[in-house]
Structure formats: structure tokens, C-alpha cells
Amino acid sequence: MSTATDAHGHTPYLAHHFHTKDQQDAAIKFGMWLFLVQEILFFGGLFMAYIAMRFLYPQTFEDAYLYLNIPMGATNTVVLLLSSLTMALAVRCAQVNDQKGLIRNLLITIACACGFMVIKFFEYSHKIHEGLVPGQFYSFRELTPVEAVTDAPQLFFSVYFVMTGTHGLHVVIGIGFLVWLLMRSKRGDFNSDNFAPVENVGLYWHLVDLIWIFLFPLLYLVK
């Protein structure tokens, strides 16, 4: 595929160490996929820890999950699914030179991501207030919906906070990337010849959403 050049014969957006724009885009995308594989391996370790704890303390997990707020978790699931849609639309807008659509969809994606973190903040605040926290800091006194959580309930909340906290950190990082894209989009940096950054951030964001799709049923819908 041929790429337009400027008045001086230079290819716009091409770094000096690449011969062609296609080569640069292929290298960027390959690097992004390598990073995503690393992220999958990283979260894979957390999921294996979940499986081990669930196997060793099955009754604890079945009792303790009742103290999670399923409506909040479900709302966050819908919010992230919507953000995946708008992120995909943002990539498409960049590919077809729709600058207004690109900015609009990035703004919606950022709003959804921030909404996810706001909901998670209230969810965390309630658990910390009630003493539903990891390890030695666990101080909750069971009243309802079950009389008592068997074995070691702090283990469940250790797994919960580590997995959702790590995911939340990735959401915050994603917000930073999205804001960076938005600022560059307002300068008109992205178009049909230069949309790889938008596409790669989109891949990262879809992975973040996918991880939550697994976390929600594993933690909130244990049974």
C-alpha cells in the first residue's frame, strides 16, 4: 500500500529507523500483541491463585461472595461493554478520517472508564467500612445474609481485592492512554494514514474489558 509524502518527499508519521509506514505499523502492532500476551500470562497467574483458593476453601467462597454487591458489579460490566463498543467506533472513525466521531467516541470511552472507577470506589469504601478486607485487617462481624463465613473469609477478600485492584490499576492506566489519544485527536494527529496508536490502545482496552468479563462471574456469581 502506497503512503502519501509531504512536499519534501518525506512520509508523515514515519520514524527514522523504519523504511516504510507499513513496516512501522506492523512492528507497532506486533509489539502490542507481545505485550498483550504478557498481560494474559500475568492475569493467568492471578486466576490460578483464585482456582487454588477456591479448591482449598470452597465453602468460604460460597459464603463470602454473598457480601459482594452484584448490582454494582453488573452495572460495571455493562459500562465496560459500552466502552468497548465506543472504543471500536473510535478506531473506525480514525480509519475513515471522521475527526468529530473519533473525539466523541473517545470522550464516551473515557466517561465509561471513569464511571467504572467511581462505582468501584463506592464498592471498596463500603467493604473497608464494614471490615471486609484482606488478611489481618479483616474485622467484619457476620450478621446477614449468612450467620457466619466458614474457614478463613479474609482469604476470599484477599483474592477479591488483589484481582479487582490489579484490574482497576489497568483501567486507570487505560484512562491515561485514552486522554493522551484525545489530546492528540484534537490536534488532528490521527487519520486514515496514521491510526495505529488508536488501534493499539483499543486492543489494550478490549483486553481490560475481557478480563473483567471473567472476574465478574468468578467473584460475584460464585455459585
Side-chain angles (χ1 to χ4, degrees), residues 3 13 45 56-57 144 181 188 197 205 223:
T3 305
Y13 316 112
L56 293 173
Y57 301 93
T144 57
L181 287 181
W205 191 249
K223 289 187 178 182

Side-chain angles (χ1 to χ4, degrees), residues 106 110 114 173-185:
L106 286 176
I110 293 170
C114 291
I173 294 171
I175 292 173
F177 282 127
L178 290 168
V179 171
W180 172 71
L181 287 181
L182 180 63
M183 293 173 62
R184 292 191 60 187
S185 297

Side-chain angles (χ1 to χ4, degrees), residues 109-126:
T109 306
I110 293 170
C112 288
C114 291
F116 177 92
M117 293 307 300
V118 169
I119 294 173
K120 186 55 66 179
F121 169 79
F122 284 111
E123 197 174 357
Y124 275 9
S125 297
H126 177 263

